[in-house]
């Protein structure tokens, strides 16, 4: 029997990272709606534009298919939307999936704080005893707080570690340049809007990752680089503890 | 939020449905699902639960699927007989007639009904007591000139036994539960048009089928009701949402200049006219489907007493998507003002979206019926699925 797993992640980069790890577990991305497991068809958007916004990205999940399981990975665009997106999506499916996985960034908060926030919004699910674990009740549910269910950080924290293994020269070069930049330097960052993202706690890490991604895939987004390059598929990258833990979390939800 | 008549609906068995529940009903409830999934059966179950001891309610429930408002008398004979229609409300397994089992989380409690085919000698006059109704015979057999009643002639009939039990927490309200009512009905039975027994066990209800707006006579009779309850202006307000040129509604007898008419001169029934700004009176017969449907919805809404239930099958029927929002806003406001709970089926995503736009999240629930089960989507989830993710929810 086909096992269905629903993942919701905080942003498109996380979605792509999960996709990469799912590929290592034998799943292939579904591009054609004809090949989509009909179970997920209700999650495919049918109208455009959404709320009249012509520029808004179509919020379609990314689907993956293997012989024995199929997966939808939804981007919630922010931790505050995770529970709403999950509840709305699961309510619209004809029956609950076998497992529900949530992947969020710790940012500058503690992992347990983030974990508790997710639990408070979705009290009907058994998320196990701690971040990174899965509950035993159906549907099995778990929350993975990036980077490692303990430390502060984001998805880019993991990508940076992967990059240090897989693209050491590029990461080193990008660091040399970006670490020297001072977000308070008004001659570089002229407007508040130019400064505010770089000045965030994860601003420099994200910039380093994005700089390397733009060397590997000039003019494209980080998620395209994750998809096309070796950030999360190289053997060395997969052996990094944070990546191995995330892969184990995904595997636990996929396995019967 | 208003106190709703049906907090939930549990269909243990009814027609082809088994073990289907609508949990946590809202003030406005949309029912979606594929063809033949049981959407109309859900409305019928609600209708029956609204007055389970009233034979007219049982007959009306059967009538919901007939085409009688068309007055298509030539073909009516091809439908089920009255007793067969009643029998098919019950679940069937081969020749076995099963029990109807319903509960509504309402003051009615839970209903259990059995049906048994019988043969017997009916009385000439209908006998009604607090516990039973035994139909008398019509003077003539239906559709013939043959005298129906004759001494000691056996008739085929149907014996219905309806029992109501209290739901949890209801004992204080209805200490005499369980209550049972028995109805002995005949193929040539005359029915019963008197006051329903035990009318304390009644929830006001009205029903709009997808086709009932197409009968001119039905619409004209409904306008009479609108006038009686002083709601004609509200109906005109609704029609103006479809066509701002509409000024008034009037009932009049048309001039008879057709020599081929089968009716005696001057004996045409009253006809409903719509008065247009500039054009004057135009018979409803010439109006489009949308106007007739809107008028019909205004009529059935006027039938429901406050605290009752309005059932609309295929709520989008006849109306262009551009007017759905205006019409639904009118319906939702009218229901809210009169504390009427709405259950409506639809096949239309535009109708779902229009209802979302006109209803508060906490009042709206969508149920999708599939493979005999109902999936509940609350207003907030529905708004997100449709407005943020543009998902299919039918």
């Amino acid at each position: 029997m086909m096992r269905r797993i629903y993942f919701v992640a905080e942003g498109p980069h996380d979605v792509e990272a999960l996709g990469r790890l799912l590929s290592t577990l034998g799943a292939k991305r579904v591009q054609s709606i004809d090949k989509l497991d009909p179970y997920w068809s209700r999650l495919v958007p049918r109208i455009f534009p959404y709320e009249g916004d012509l520029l808004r990205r179509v919020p379609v999940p990314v689907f993956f298919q293997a012989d024995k399981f199929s997966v939808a990975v939804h981007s919630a665009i922010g931790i505050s939307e995770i529970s709403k997106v999950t509840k709305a999506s699961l309510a619209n499916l004809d029956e609950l999936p076998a497992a529900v996985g949530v992947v969020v960034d710790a940012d500058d908060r503690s992992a347990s704080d983030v974990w508790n926030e997710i639990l408070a919004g979705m009290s009907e699910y058994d998320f196990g005893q701690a971040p990174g674990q899965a509950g035993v009740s159906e549907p099995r549910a778990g929350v993975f707080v990036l980077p490692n269910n303990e430390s502060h950080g984001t998805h880019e924290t993991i990508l940076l570690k992967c990059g240090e293994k897989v693209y050491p020269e590029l990461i080193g070069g990008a660091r040399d340049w970006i670490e020297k930049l001072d977000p308070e330097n008004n001659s570089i960052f002229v407007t508040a809007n130019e400064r505010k993202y770089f000045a965030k706690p994860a601003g420099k890490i994200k910039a380093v990752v994005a700089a390397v991604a733009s060397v590997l895939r000039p003019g494209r987004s980080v998620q395209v680089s994750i998809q096309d390059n070796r950030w999360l598929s190289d053997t060395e990258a997969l052996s990094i503890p944070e990546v191995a833990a995330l892969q184990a979390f995904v595997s636990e939800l996929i396995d019967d | 939020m208003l106190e709703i008549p049906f907090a939930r609906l549990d269909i243990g068995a009814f027609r082809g449905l088994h073990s289907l529940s609508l949990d946590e009903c809202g003030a406005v409830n949309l029912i979606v699902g594929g063809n033949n999934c049981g959407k109309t059966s859900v409305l019928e179950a609600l209708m029956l639960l609204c007055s389970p001891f009233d034979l007219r309610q049982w007959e009306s429930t059967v009538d919901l699927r007939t085409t009688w408002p068309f007055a298509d008398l030539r073909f009516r004979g091809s439908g089920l007989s009255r007793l067969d229609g009643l029998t098919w409300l019950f679940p069937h397994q081969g020749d076995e007639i099963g029990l109807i089992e319903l509960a509504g989380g309402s003051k009615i409690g839970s209903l259990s009904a059995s049906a048994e085919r019988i043969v017997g000698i009916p009385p000439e006059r209908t006998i009604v007591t607090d516990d039973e109704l035994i139909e008398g015979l019509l003077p003539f057999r239906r559709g013939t000139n043959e005298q129906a009643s004759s001494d000691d002639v056996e008739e085929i009939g149907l014996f219905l036994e309806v029992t109501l039990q209290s739901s949890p927490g209801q004992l204080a309200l209805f200490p005499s539960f369980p209550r049972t009512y028995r109805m002995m009905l005949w193929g040539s039975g005359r029915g019963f048009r008197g006051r329903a027994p035990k009318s304390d066990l009644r929830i006001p209800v009205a029903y709009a089928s997808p086709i009932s707006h197409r009968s001119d006579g039905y619409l004209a009779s409904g306008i009479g009701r609108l006038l009686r309850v002083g709601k004609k202006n509200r109906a005109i307000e609704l029609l103006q949402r479809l066509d701002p040129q509409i000024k008034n509604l009037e009932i009049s007898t048309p001039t008879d200049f057709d020599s081929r008419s089968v009716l005696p001169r001057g004996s045409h029934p009253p006809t409903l006219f719509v008065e247009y700004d500039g054009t004057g009176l135009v018979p409803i017969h010439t109006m489009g489907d949308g106007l007739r449907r809107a008028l019909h919805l205004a009529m059935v809404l006027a039938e429901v007493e406050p605290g009752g239930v309005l059932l609309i099958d295929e709520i989008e029927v006849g109306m262009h998507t551009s007017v759905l929002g205006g019409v639904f806003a009118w319906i939702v406001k009218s229901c809210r003002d009169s504390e009427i709970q709405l259950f409506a089926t639809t096949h239309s995503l535009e109708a779902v979206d229009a209802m979302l736009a006109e209803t508060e999240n906490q009042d709206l629930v969508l149920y999708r019926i599939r493979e005999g089960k109902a999936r509940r989507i609350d207003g907030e989830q529905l708004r997100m699925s449709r407005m943020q993710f543009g998902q299919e929810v039918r």
Side-chain angles (χ1 to χ4, degrees), chain A residues 42-47 50-51 56 59 74 81 84-85 87-94 96, chain B residues 349 353 368 370-371 375-378 380-382 384-394:
Chain A
R42 293 191 185 283
L43 300 189
V44 177
R46 305 292 166 132
I47 53 174
Y50 300 100
E51 297 178 315
R56 199 160 156 193
H74 227 154
E81 294 293 296
K84 284 192 236 169
V85 169
K87 284 181 176 179
S89 297
L90 299 190
N92 194 23
L93 294 169
D94 286 322
L96 288 174
Chain B
L349 270 184
D353 290 349
R368 182 171 64 237
R370 186 172 174 271
E371 296 177 356
R375 191 90 169 122
R376 181 183 186 277
I377 304 179
D378 68 31
E380 185 181 358
Q381 293 162 347
L382 183 62
M384 193 155 221
S385 288
R386 286 300 302 149
M387 300 304 169
Q388 186 162 339
F389 292 123
Q391 294 171 352
E392 174 62 89
V393 293
R394 292 169 297 178

Side-chain angles (χ1 to χ4, degrees), chain A residues 19-27 66 69 247-248 250-252 254-255:
Chain A
R20 245 356 198 148
L21 295 178
L22 285 164
S23 302
T24 67
L25 298 168
F69 65 87
Q247 192 176 34
V250 171
S251 296
E252 188 176 1
I254 285 173
D255 294 340

Side-chain angles (χ1 to χ4, degrees), chain B residues 190-248:
Chain B
R190 60 170 65 227
F192 178 64
R193 299 290 170 260
R195 187 168 176 270
K198 298 171 182 172
S199 53
D200 55 325
L201 290 173
R202 172 184 166 274
I203 295 171
V205 63
Y207 182 98
S209 91
I211 56 168
S212 41
H213 61 287
R214 293 195 172 150
S215 163
D216 295 349
Y218 189 60
L219 289 178
S221 69
I223 285 300
R225 276 195 299 276
L226 281 173
L227 290 169
R228 278 198 300 279
V229 298
K231 291 189 174 173
K232 189 178 86 163
N233 287 341
R234 286 283 289 143
I236 293 169
E237 183 192 310
L238 172 60
L239 296 185
Q240 285 170 340
R241 292 177 184 231
L242 280 78
D243 190 339
Q245 301 296 312
I246 290 173
K247 279 177 60 184
N248 197 9

